[in-house]
Amino acid sequence: MLIFWILAGYLAGSCPTGYLLAKYIKNVDIREFGSGNIGATNAGRLLGKKYAVFIALFDMLKGGMIVLLATLCTHDPLTAALSGAASVLGHNYPVWLGFKGGKGVATTYGVIFFFDFFNPLPSLLGGAVWYVVMKTSRYVSAGSICGLFAAAFLTLVFKMPVPYFLVSLFLAALSTCRHKDNLKRIAEGTETKVGKK
């Protein structure tokens, strides 16, 4: 059953929301626009803020719902955690797009949110950290990385099962790797800030 949930997580996560919407609305391959990323931030530059919000929420749900279903069906934290990790890997490396996808931020938040549906505080507080860092630094990437690591360590603070912490930490590190170009541009002073084109 573990293999089933990992595969289900990957397939759910690999739905390229931003790519599909950009293709449907503007007939544009979003991978050839802006940063080339299929996630909500780049999609927002092309389609507008309301679509960015929709894509972010959908990307959260496609990971989170798999975790919720795995939890309800197996009652096993390890299975739920690995299905969530697989959904983020599906988003980042979708087979349909030659394994070139997004950076997994929204999907990771959704996964952590649904690790414990009755205690979503790690994800919500991590989101608050994202917002504060993003608003003060004006770098979405910096906010994303700080928020994900905060959410990961908050799973320990709220005494969630160890697999949730380990997977959250892995996903935060994975997102950091996916943001390596952004971090390089921040160091060079060439990264685009929020509110600037």
Side-chain angles (χ1 to χ4, degrees), residues 1-29:
M1 284 299 289
L2 178 60
I3 298 299
F4 167 81
W5 286 109
I6 290 174
L7 181 60
Y10 176 83
L11 291 175
S14 67
C15 176
T17 321
Y19 172 84
L20 293 174
L21 271 180
K23 204 71 173 173
Y24 177 75
I25 295 169
K26 292 205 170 184
N27 196 29
V28 171
D29 186 338

Side-chain angles (χ1 to χ4, degrees), residues 88-160:
V88 177
L89 291 172
H91 175 82
N92 290 357
Y93 308 102
V95 63
W96 328 111
L97 299 180
F99 301 101
K100 295 179 181 179
K103 296 176 181 175
V105 176
T107 308
T108 299
Y109 275 118
V111 165
I112 297 173
F113 183 91
F114 281 95
F115 272 160
D116 186 345
F117 188 67
F118 297 104
N119 184 15
L121 284 176
S123 182
L124 294 177
L125 292 175
V129 170
W130 167 83
Y131 182 79
V132 170
V133 174
M134 183 270 295
K135 291 295 285 186
T136 54
S137 70
R138 296 174 66 196
Y139 291 124
V140 174
S141 51
S144 299
I145 293 167
C146 292
L148 290 179
F149 274 107
F153 283 102
L154 282 165
T155 64
L156 279 182
V157 173
F158 288 98
K159 299 180 180 180
M160 290 185 173

Side-chain angles (χ1 to χ4, degrees), residues 62-75:
K62 71 184 184 184
M65 293 310 294
I66 283 294
V67 170
L68 180 61
L69 288 172
T71 301
L72 293 174
C73 292
T74 70
H75 305 287

Side-chain angles (χ1 to χ4, degrees), residues 43-54:
R45 297 186 187 110
L46 177 65
L47 303 174
K49 187 177 291 186
K50 67 177 182 180
Y51 286 106
V53 171
F54 173 82

